[in-house]
Amino acid sequence: MDTQIAADTVNADRPDDVRDALGRPLHDLRISLLDRCNFRCPYCMPETEFHADFQFLRKNQLLSHGEILKIASVAVSLGVTKLRLTGGEPLLDKQVGGLIESLAALKGVHDLALTTNGMLLGPKATALAEAGLNRVTISLDSLDAEIFRLMSGNRGNLDQVLEGIAAAERAGLAPIKINTVVQRGVNDHTVIDLLEHFRGTGHIVRLIEYMDVGNRNGWKMDQVVPSLELLGRVQEHWPLRAIGRSYPGEVARRYEYVDGAGEIGFISSVTEPFCGACSRARLSADGVLYTCLFATSGTNLREPLRNGADDAELADILSRIWLQRADRYSELRTPGVADGHAPSKVEMYRIGG
Ligand code: SF4
């Protein structure tokens, strides 16, 4: 892996890159390692649905690391330069270090990242970095212990997550991004404290508009705090300066504190959709490829893989999927118009955010 490659090179277009129906290249593959999680965040895995008897994927239904590596290497041959490991909670996979080593060895991968809730990160950070992981993104919705506990489904330990962040920093897994889903009336009143905590640390907080992912979180538009409103609230405390996106397809709108205390970002899928440059595909833990976070269907890659498909056949399948891709859900979203007939969307816990 070419670690010193600049951000704009990470997503540099190659002439043979496969492009979708809207001309977007495939640059970013998100790989879900498993569908299990040690949290029960209400907007993703509500406890009521994902209770003790819930049937998660069995081992033989999960892609093996060898199968993940094969799909990833084919995807890289089609233009992917950025791989992100997700879940469920990817650090529940005890062999993740070995997979990271193999993925890091793939020529053409310029950025290997992992998204985690941070609970298991503390004791693993150094080994992940040594295996070749570049950086981590931690999902952390509040520093208010009570709100944090509620938003993790009574499963999270805030101190353990903060220790995970510190361990990642010591291990050099930087820049560390902190993803905070902001829900009106739930945690929006604790955002300023969270920003205050990370100012001057070099960690980048990204404030994410609450989204209608999956089918189980009871999403309503009035629970969304538009980024523009949030930006106004932050500016009341600290002047900010816009600094533009670091590469095409970057989801966050980036700002820096005028006083030099670092960077924050706003991910505004609801009020400022960014489908136009979306270069992301998502692979579920059981081998289904989705071309949008809000997809209603995907393509099973596990079957052809287990039926002996070689790299060329897999490349053909992936190219055909991507060439036909025309997803732009966020641009077409009709907030508030509850359509009881809408086909069900893939659940976020199956593909990661
Ligand atoms: S809604 Fe779908 S197409 Fe649009 S940015 Fe998100 S993942 Fe990409």
Side-chain angles (χ1 to χ4, degrees):
M1 168 159 38
D2 320 323
T3 49
Q4 297 317 315
I5 298 256
D8 53 2
T9 314
V10 164
N11 275 20
D13 295 349
R14 300 181 316 191
D16 57 349
D17 279 358
V18 65
R19 289 182 174 273
D20 72 10
L22 304 179
R24 300 168 294 187
L26 169 59
H27 277 165
D28 186 336
L29 179 64
R30 301 185 173 199
I31 302 169
S32 172
L33 301 186
L34 69 182
D35 61 344
R36 293 168 187 273
C37 186
N38 48 359
F39 278 13
R40 288 290 180 275
C41 306
Y43 56 75
C44 176
M45 256 182 149
E47 184 84 46
T48 46
E49 310 255 350
F50 298 89
H51 39 66
D53 309 327
F54 184 84
Q55 286 305 308
F56 288 100
L57 293 169
R58 295 187 307 280
K59 190 149 179 41
N60 64 353
Q61 294 173 300
L62 294 171
L63 289 181
S64 68
H65 286 176
E67 290 168 332
I68 290 174
L69 188 60
K70 190 172 171 71
I71 293 172
S73 69
V74 169
V76 169
S77 73
L78 296 172
V80 164
T81 57
K82 183 174 165 183
L83 297 174
R84 177 176 293 280
L85 302 181
T86 69
E89 170 49 46
L91 296 184
L92 287 171
D93 180 332
K94 296 194 172 38
Q95 316 307 326
V96 66
L99 176 62
I100 287 171
E101 229 169 281
S102 311
L103 293 171
L106 286 177
K107 186 128 189 43
V109 173
H110 297 161
D111 186 12
L112 181 53
L114 179 141
T115 299
T116 170
N117 59 32
M119 274 289 277
L120 304 172
L121 186 55
K124 295 178 187 247
T126 304
L128 296 173
E130 285 165 0
L133 187 67
N134 284 139
R135 57 195 181 83
V136 287
T137 297
I138 289 113
S139 307
L140 176 58
D141 294 329
S142 184
L143 286 179
D144 175 299
E146 185 51 26
I147 305 272
F148 172 80
R149 196 179 56 72
L150 284 173
M151 292 189 81
S152 65
N154 296 309
R155 303 284 184 102
N157 175 312
L158 191 51
D159 295 336
Q160 217 171 311
V161 172
L162 294 174
E163 171 41 36
I165 295 171
E169 183 175 9
R170 290 192 298 271
L173 291 170
I176 295 174
K177 294 184 176 171
I178 311 287
N179 277 2
T180 302
V181 174
V182 181
Q183 271 184 278
R184 192 183 296 285
V186 178
N187 65 334
D188 60 313
H189 61 293
T190 69
V191 164
I192 297 298
D193 290 346
L194 185 137
L195 291 174
E196 175 70 69
H197 177 89
F198 288 111
R199 271 168 49 82
T201 63
H203 305 334
I204 302 169
V205 176
R206 286 119 53 92
L207 303 173
I208 304 175
E209 288 181 344
Y210 174 46
M211 293 180 280
D212 51 335
V213 286
N215 316 283
R216 304 169 189 232
N217 63 12
W219 182 87
K220 292 195 180 51
M221 186 60 198
D222 60 15
Q223 296 167 305
V224 175
V225 182
S227 291
L228 218 51
E229 177 187 334
L230 217 43
L231 177 65
R233 291 193 203 177
V234 177
Q235 295 256 32
E236 283 165 20
H237 292 263
W238 309 283
L240 292 172
R241 179 187 306 122
I243 50 176
R245 286 188 160 95
S246 49
Y247 59 83
E250 181 172 26
V251 293
R253 207 180 270 290
R254 302 165 61 218
Y255 290 80
E256 62 185 3
Y257 295 108
V258 170
D259 64 6
E263 179 185 332
I264 67 171
F266 294 85
I267 299 179
S268 321
S269 162
V270 179
T271 60
E272 299 163 53
F274 37 77
C275 302
C278 178
S279 57
R280 290 173 291 281
R282 294 168 164 88
L283 180 66
S284 70
D286 54 352
V288 179
L289 192 85
Y290 296 93
T291 54
C292 175
L293 176 59
F294 303 93
T296 54
S297 65
T299 305
N300 183 338
L301 298 181
R302 186 186 63 195
E303 208 176 309
L305 203 55
R306 292 187 178 175
N307 291 339
D310 62 18
D311 288 7
E313 287 162 324
L314 269 181
D316 183 51
I317 296 170
L318 258 73
S319 307
R320 272 187 286 113
I321 296 167
W322 197 255
L323 286 165
Q324 291 159 15
R325 179 200 189 220
D327 299 283
R328 49 195 197 96
Y329 174 88
S330 287
E331 289 174 354
L332 303 173
R333 179 190 281 112
T334 48
V337 179
D339 173 357
H341 311 296
S344 75
K345 291 169 278 178
V346 59
E347 294 293 345
M348 185 160 82
Y349 78 94
R350 282 180 38 74
I351 51 171

